[in-house]
Amino acid sequence: MPSAEHPEPLTKGTTGRRPSPVRQLAAASVGNAVEWYDWYTYSFLATYIAAQIFPKDAANSLVPLLSTFAVFAVGFFMRPVGGLLMGAVADRRGRRAALTVTILLMGGSSLLVGLTPTYDAAGVLAPVVLVLARLLQGLSVGGEFAASTTFLVESAGPGRRGLFSSFQYVSTTLGQLVASGVAALLVANLAPATMGSWGWRVPFVVGALLSLVGFWVRRGSHETRSEEQAKAPRPGLFEALRRHPRESLLICGITAGGTLAYYTWTSYLPTYAELNAGVTKADALLAGTLSLMFFAVLQPVAGMVSDRFGRKPLLLMFGIGFAALCVPLLRALDGSFVTLLLVQCAGMILLSGFTAISAAVNAETFPARVRAAGIGFPYSLTVALFGGTAPYVGTLFKDLGQAGLFPVYVAALCLVSSVVYLRLPETAHRPLDR
């Protein structure tokens, strides 16, 4: 008989068979990988998009590129809306329903980017279509985290929530690596004129096709929302915020330092090394790719450690470690490839204490009734405020002649999150509310 410590595992799935843990992991991970493949593809191909979609300003050649990145930022700030709306769908209609909507939204928006007309052909309609596509992508990414986080953790058996949680960032990292690989392959094999004309559209069409694969995988997955929750009255859109304000603020505090450190180390560090340490672009990209591979391997290891020893030790290792070492690590950059790679890998080890278990910690914070919406909105809002702005804040400090303050900013926010971690109850060995 199941006990409170070891609740009964998931029963039969939609096909009448007992759900496969591998299928459950694949259902969450494939969608997350596709979501982030599309998200990073846009940033990698921004210069080509700028030349085709936005009008050129003779007085400032950076206007198209700046416009492209402004649209990128618009997508970030749609994520909280997606977290709230798709989280509500997951709580009201089921996790699989929300996961289906998010993967189709991302596929449709990716295809829309790939088919966006040029400015020369359609005039102002071109940037309007691109903005619409990015709004849909932001909505989808925010909703994807809310639904897939809940789905992953609820799919885990006793003592495996940390392990399952770790695949959130395994799949994110794989999506980023595939995006960079596809973009690099096209750039290496297509003439610059061809790449600028239509080659940049290919990865977005590929992303739309990959979303269909994700849709197929998710159709065969098992719904993790309990029958009792399905029969209960549906929660209101803002019920999680209204009834659980403390838990909502906890998600913000848990996430703030982690998301800033994550975007700094996985996205902005190559640029930071180029701007402040004279690292070549080729070395920066290679070090970033190798460190991301290392980071993906670390995630399941950290997740299993948290299942054995608890969430708080890993969170504190990350928070205090980054607060103490962020400044000396970034100041150690000296222009060499080896130093950059060692700095990135050292940060990835510390960062895994947050990324591998953030999904589990978030899911263990809220009751099942409002879990997806409760996680989705505060998490996505915090990511938009601190994670999405990391490259801009770092570049701003550089422009102001105060580049050394950026590592201090990262360290300070990680210290703030460490205070939150100290006050968190240990939830690793508690039964998950169903």
Side-chain angles (χ1 to χ4, degrees), residues 37-339:
Y37 164 87
D38 287 331
W39 193 258
Y40 281 106
T41 292
Y42 183 93
S43 63
F44 290 142
L45 300 174
T47 54
Y48 298 101
I49 297 171
Q52 291 285 308
I53 306 301
F54 292 96
K56 296 177 179 62
D57 185 335
N60 189 345
S61 62
L62 288 178
V63 166
L65 185 58
L66 290 173
S67 300
T68 307
F69 281 122
V71 176
F72 183 79
V74 165
F76 252 107
F77 283 92
M78 279 299 292
R79 289 174 63 167
V81 179
L84 181 63
L85 294 180
M86 291 299 103
V89 171
D91 289 332
R92 293 180 178 187
R93 299 287 185 179
R95 318 315 189 198
R96 287 177 67 242
L99 290 172
T100 298
V101 173
T102 58
I103 195 70
L104 292 178
L105 268 178
M106 181 55 80
S109 59
S110 182
L111 184 62
L112 191 58
V113 173
L115 299 179
T116 299
T118 64
Y119 187 83
D120 290 341
V124 72
L125 179 63
V128 169
V129 171
L130 185 64
V131 168
L132 176 62
R134 290 300 297 171
L135 289 174
L136 292 175
Q137 281 185 318
L139 192 73
S140 177
V141 171
E144 173 68 17
F145 183 88
S148 65
T149 291
T150 306
F151 182 85
L152 267 175
V153 178
E154 290 179 347
S155 295
R160 302 181 72 188
R161 295 199 299 264
L163 173 61
F164 273 52
S165 166
S166 69
F167 280 85
Q168 188 81 38
Y169 278 89
V170 170
S171 54
T172 296
T173 304
L174 289 177
Q176 186 174 358
L177 288 170
V178 172
S180 62
V182 170
L185 188 66
L186 286 170
V187 171
N189 289 279
L190 294 180
T194 304
M195 190 68 194
S197 175
W198 58 265
W200 66 270
R201 300 178 183 273
V202 173
F204 294 104
V205 176
V206 170
L209 295 175
L210 289 175
S211 71
L212 295 179
V213 175
F215 175 73
W216 174 77
V217 172
R218 286 181 167 179
R219 278 179 60 86
S221 63
H222 175 80
E223 175 58 61
T224 62
R225 187 177 62 155
S226 67
E227 292 184 7
E228 291 81 1
Q229 187 185 350
K231 294 175 181 177
R234 294 174 182 171
L237 184 61
F238 296 100
E239 184 171 326
L241 289 171
R242 189 177 67 252
R243 295 194 175 184
H244 303 277
R246 179 181 178 275
E247 288 81 357
S248 299
L249 289 174
L250 272 179
I251 297 295
C252 295
I254 291 166
T255 305
T259 189
L260 176 58
Y262 173 75
Y263 279 95
T264 297
W265 237 254
T266 63
S267 299
Y268 181 59
L269 190 54
T271 302
Y272 181 89
E274 290 177 49
L275 292 175
N276 298 285
V279 177
T280 66
K281 184 177 290 292
D283 282 351
L285 290 175
L286 179 58
T289 300
L290 292 175
S291 64
L292 279 172
M293 293 178 180
F294 176 63
F295 182 64
V297 173
L298 286 174
Q299 300 310 296
V301 176
M304 288 187 288
V305 169
S306 81
D307 284 331
R308 178 73 180 273
F309 299 104
R311 317 291 187 223
K312 288 183 67 173
L314 270 75
L315 289 172
L316 289 170
M317 177 197 75
F318 153 71
I320 296 174
F322 246 91
L325 297 176
C326 180
V327 174
L329 281 174
L330 292 183
R331 287 181 177 174
L333 295 173
D334 58 8
S336 77
F337 168 78
V338 173
T339 301

Side-chain angles (χ1 to χ4, degrees), residues 330-416:
L330 292 183
R331 287 181 177 174
L333 295 173
D334 58 8
S336 77
F337 168 78
V338 173
T339 301
L340 174 58
L341 182 61
L342 290 174
V343 166
Q344 283 204 274
C345 289
M348 295 301 194
I349 294 171
L350 294 174
L351 187 57
S352 295
F354 167 78
T355 55
I357 61 173
S358 64
V361 173
N362 290 344
E364 291 162 355
T365 299
F366 276 92
R369 175 178 166 80
V370 292
R371 180 170 288 138
I375 294 170
F377 180 73
Y379 175 88
S380 296
L381 179 63
T382 308
V383 170
L385 291 175
F386 296 105
T389 59
Y392 304 100
V393 173
T395 304
L396 177 62
F397 278 129
K398 174 66 175 178
D399 289 342
L400 295 175
Q402 301 292 333
L405 289 181
F406 181 68
V408 176
Y409 165 62
V410 177
L413 202 60
C414 289
L415 186 61
V416 171

